[in-house]
Amino acid sequence: MNAAIEAERFVATAGQRIRVSIRPGSAGTRRVPLVLCNGIGASYEVLDPLVAQLDPEITVVRFDVPGTGGSPASVAPYGFPYLAWALGRVLTNLDLGVVDVLGLSWGGALAQQFAVQNPRRCRRLILAATGTGAVMVPGNPRVLAKMLTPRRFRDPAYAASIAGDLYGGTARRQGDDVAGLFLQQLHAGSKIGYFHQLLAGAVWTSLPLLPAIRQQTLLVAGTDDPIVPVVNARIMNQLLPHSTIHLHSGGHIDLVTNATELAPVITTFLHDPGVSP
């Protein structure tokens, strides 16, 4: 699908103004739309390489959470239950019913919460490089400390210098490419917005919720992920009733930096007729 026809708009809902992008699926197809929930601090442009590799038949919906990218910051902090509810309102405003949801890293927490709160609206769930929130096996503290500020989204030289240590996988060889990817963001977001995202993740866990997630779920995890060790995916795979796991040799953001390899895995999962639980 040619990215030139991708439509950007702002959706006002729940006191927020949410920046949304929709890539329409191929004419004549009836695929379930795919909603992408991004990592912390990043605007939806960072997901461009992934969207470019996804099946053009699939309608792809991306958005900036409050305080990130082009969405103004929320006046007050928010939690994932509120954000999942607001996302549902956005989808309703866009006249979208049943959807598939993919969450990357921090966005994986939002995806899990959305699936719990919308069991009939969320058909399938893809969780990439993510864990169970505050109660999980943590990454290296030295690495996690680099995520306490959004500096990497504003300083290309700094982003390139830390990309390998922070993200692992293909980022170890593509530090400059990662920095360039961050530069594609039209809006770097706000410091208060980044703080709100950090706070939301610090007070949330999905550990007791996982058995209630009935959707067919694909876990995508890299064995060289310094932020979310692969053991978290193995734990989630044991607790989710209808999950499969796909391990790859990459790191935290290989879903983007190595989309040519991982996007087909996602497409295959979404198109598999399977059996609805």
Side-chain angles (χ1 to χ4, degrees):
M1 177 63 60
N2 190 330
I5 70 170
E6 191 162 345
E8 176 187 312
R9 68 187 72 181
F10 283 86
V11 177
T13 185
Q16 308 290 341
R17 191 164 177 261
I18 304 298
R19 178 173 171 251
V20 178
S21 174
I22 302 176
R23 187 201 72 174
S26 301
T29 60
R30 301 180 64 86
R31 300 290 187 187
V32 175
L34 176 63
V35 178
L36 305 184
C37 301
N38 209 351
I40 190 169
S43 73
Y44 64 61
E45 284 87 3
V46 171
L47 298 173
D48 282 351
L50 172 62
V51 174
Q53 295 297 324
L54 290 171
D55 185 348
E57 290 186 355
I58 301 174
T59 295
V60 179
V61 181
R62 295 182 278 173
F63 63 99
D64 292 336
V65 300
T68 297
S71 296
S74 173
V75 174
Y78 52 77
F80 284 117
Y82 165 80
L83 201 56
W85 173 77
L87 174 57
R89 294 283 297 270
V90 169
L91 296 177
T92 298
N93 187 290
L94 296 173
D95 199 26
L96 296 175
V98 175
V99 295
D100 296 324
V101 181
L102 182 155
L104 171 62
S105 189
W106 184 93
L110 174 56
Q112 292 172 66
Q113 187 68 43
F114 183 86
V116 169
Q117 292 179 206
N118 301 273
R120 297 184 180 277
R121 191 171 200 178
C122 177
R123 185 190 70 129
R124 291 190 179 180
L125 186 63
I126 303 164
L127 304 175
T130 195
T132 55
V135 183
M136 62 176 281
V137 179
N140 187 315
R142 180 181 60 83
V143 172
L144 296 179
K146 293 182 172 68
M147 298 186 66
L148 293 178
T149 74
R151 179 184 172 188
R152 63 191 182 281
F153 296 116
R154 302 170 181 273
D155 184 341
Y158 177 71
S161 70
I162 69 169
D165 289 340
L166 183 59
Y167 299 119
T170 52
R172 297 191 187 280
R173 307 182 301 275
Q174 302 175 13
D176 290 337
D177 292 342
V178 172
L181 190 62
F182 291 161
L183 280 177
Q184 290 181 21
Q185 299 188 99
L186 300 180
H187 311 272
S190 67
K191 290 182 178 179
I192 188 65
Y194 194 83
F195 172 75
H196 286 168
Q197 286 189 278
L198 284 174
L199 185 60
V203 299
W204 176 90
T205 179
S206 66
L207 204 59
L209 303 177
L210 293 181
I213 295 178
R214 313 303 297 181
Q215 290 87 349
Q216 294 186 55
T217 303
L218 173 65
L219 298 162
V220 181
T223 56
D224 183 24
D225 186 340
I227 297 175
V228 181
V230 69
V231 65
N232 290 284
R234 298 186 189 278
I235 293 171
M236 295 175 73
N237 192 40
Q238 292 297 315
L239 295 175
L240 286 160
H242 305 283
S243 67
T244 57
I245 187 169
H246 176 83
L247 299 182
H248 59 89
S249 60
H252 193 67
I253 58 171
D254 269 50
L255 192 67
V256 176
T257 59
N258 193 21
T260 53
E261 176 184 325
L262 295 179
V265 175
I266 293 167
T267 297
T268 298
F269 171 73
L270 294 177
H271 290 353
D272 184 354
V275 178
S276 299

